[in-house]
Amino acid sequence: MKFLLVVIIVIILFLLNLFFGSVKIPVHDVIQILLGSDQYGAEGFIVMGSRLPMAITALFAGAGLAVSGLLLQTAFRNPLAGPSILGINSGASLGVAVVMLFLGGTIGAGTFSLGGYAAVIFGAFAGSLLVMAMLIMLSSVLKNDLMLLITGIMLGYLVSAVIMLLNYVSTAEGVQSYVMWGMSTFNGVSLQQLPLFCGITSLGIILALLLTKPLDLILLGDAYARNLGVNLMRVRNILLLSTGVLTAVITAYCGPVSFIGLAVPHIARMIFRTDTHRILMPATMLCGAAVALACSLFCVLPSNSVIPVNAVTPVIGAPVVLYVLFSRRK
């Protein structure tokens, strides 16, 4: 019953994202455009070229970030773990900073040249994957999850220092562009880029779903899971790969979206009252999609403007995190 209710909420929010936006379009016209009518010109472009990709992006990004947060909170047994905790978000930010602040927005090698938004996406994806590769290599050396967690945090601090230096030596235009990217948006994926974005995000989610049973056993303790035949090293590497892929692609296209990965797993736990990943994993995906769609809707409600996602996500995420902190204290 709870699953059905959350699914209905996700569908309603998805439709509201299509019907409402910074430009007012009658609901009847939106329905006709979605049914394939090509007589609406600019309004048709707004619905099919902007609102539909934005809603699908929010759906997949919310689900992916929420699943990443759940994986990390389970693996490190830390309620405040999230996709940014291992420095993967910071890696994406470093890649974008190098492109915008150091290379002037263009990547070139011989006859190959990549500029504009494509260069930003490439930089963010490369930076995320670089940090993820380092973490996977370190995971074979650091057997303790706590040590790996601390290493990820230190990598994040190191990357932040490099970004600060790049900001210092960059031009004012470069710094402004980088700050705008850091505010995040679900409106950065075009209709042509959507299959690639959804495909890679789906791959990361499938990898996460493969860990449902091992994560339930790990909750009972590493020794117990090992006695039941769980390969902890392999589980951790798949977990890092899934988290890295999801965080890399979502951050590359949408920017470093805050709080969804941290807060949504707790929202799912409060609604479904369970720690069993067979239930909690799909519940977290649905709740993440709902929260991201709600944030996307709030971003476009102001007339003739679209506010950044990171201006809305703390309104939902911060109270949840505070509730978790106070409940744990008690």
Side-chain angles (χ1 to χ4, degrees):
M1 186 63 184
K2 290 180 180 178
F3 271 109
L4 179 60
L5 180 61
V6 177
V7 169
I8 292 172
I9 291 172
V10 170
I11 294 172
I12 291 173
L13 287 170
F14 186 86
L15 293 175
L16 288 175
N17 273 269
L18 299 180
F19 294 146
F20 296 97
S22 55
V23 177
K24 292 183 179 180
I25 302 175
V27 172
H28 176 268
D29 292 352
V30 173
I31 294 173
Q32 291 301 314
I33 292 167
L34 293 173
L35 291 177
S37 176
D38 57 355
Q39 62 179 355
Y40 288 93
E43 292 181 344
F45 176 78
I46 291 171
V47 174
M48 298 302 295
S50 178
R51 290 187 185 178
L52 182 62
M54 188 173 181
I56 296 175
T57 300
L59 184 77
F60 276 83
L65 290 174
V67 166
S68 298
L70 176 63
L71 292 178
L72 294 173
Q73 287 171 13
T74 301
F76 297 113
R77 297 177 178 85
N78 188 332
L80 297 181
S84 60
I85 198 71
L86 291 178
I88 301 172
N89 267 356
S90 299
S93 299
L94 176 61
V96 174
V98 170
V99 171
M100 288 186 175
L101 306 178
F102 185 70
L103 299 177
T106 303
I107 301 174
T111 58
F112 172 80
S113 180
L114 197 65
Y117 195 70
V120 172
I121 293 173
F122 180 85
F125 203 73
S128 297
L129 293 180
L130 176 63
V131 173
M132 183 186 71
M134 293 174 62
L135 289 171
I136 290 177
M137 287 190 293
L138 289 170
S139 70
S140 61
V141 179
L142 302 172
K143 307 297 182 182
N144 189 290
D145 286 336
L146 180 60
M147 292 300 296
L148 185 64
L149 180 66
I150 294 172
T151 303
I153 294 172
M154 292 303 105
L155 278 174
Y157 280 124
L158 180 62
V159 167
S160 297
V162 176
I163 293 173
M164 190 178 298
L165 289 174
L166 289 173
N167 272 294
Y168 183 76
V169 300
S170 179
T171 61
E173 293 80 6
V175 173
Q176 183 181 11
S177 299
Y178 179 74
V179 170
M180 292 301 295
W181 174 82
M183 291 181 180
S184 304
T185 178
F186 293 131
N187 201 25
V189 184
S190 66
L191 202 59
Q192 292 72 29
Q193 296 169 332
L194 204 56
L196 178 63
F197 173 79
C198 295
I200 298 176
T201 306
S202 298
L203 175 62
I205 291 175
I206 290 170
L207 287 174
L209 291 173
L210 294 176
L211 299 176
T212 300
K213 186 176 180 180
L215 288 176
D216 282 334
L217 296 176
I218 288 173
L219 283 177
L220 302 174
D222 289 350
Y224 184 82
R226 195 178 291 110
N227 289 336
L228 290 177
V230 176
N231 187 328
L232 297 179
M233 183 63 68
R234 184 173 63 185
V235 169
R236 186 166 64 170
N237 285 339
I238 295 175
L239 185 147
L240 286 174
L241 182 62
S242 172
T243 304
V245 168
L246 288 170
T247 307
V249 69
I250 293 169
T251 306
Y253 280 95
C254 306
V257 181
S258 63
F259 278 104
I260 290 181
L262 176 59
V264 170
H266 296 296
I267 295 175
R269 289 187 185 98
M270 286 187 283
I271 294 174
F272 289 86
R273 300 291 182 182
T274 182
D275 284 322
T276 304
H277 286 80
R278 180 175 56 85
I279 298 173
L280 194 57
M281 190 80 75
T284 301
M285 290 169 53
L286 289 171
C287 290
V291 169
L293 285 167
C295 291
S296 178
L297 184 61
F298 287 133
C299 287
V300 299
L301 285 182
S303 180
N304 299 322
S305 65
V306 178
I307 63 176
V309 173
N310 281 345
V312 178
T313 51
V315 177
I316 298 175
V320 174
V321 174
L322 289 174
Y323 171 79
V324 171
L325 288 173
F326 280 107
S327 62
R328 294 275 174 156
R329 179 182 64 84
K330 292 178 182 178

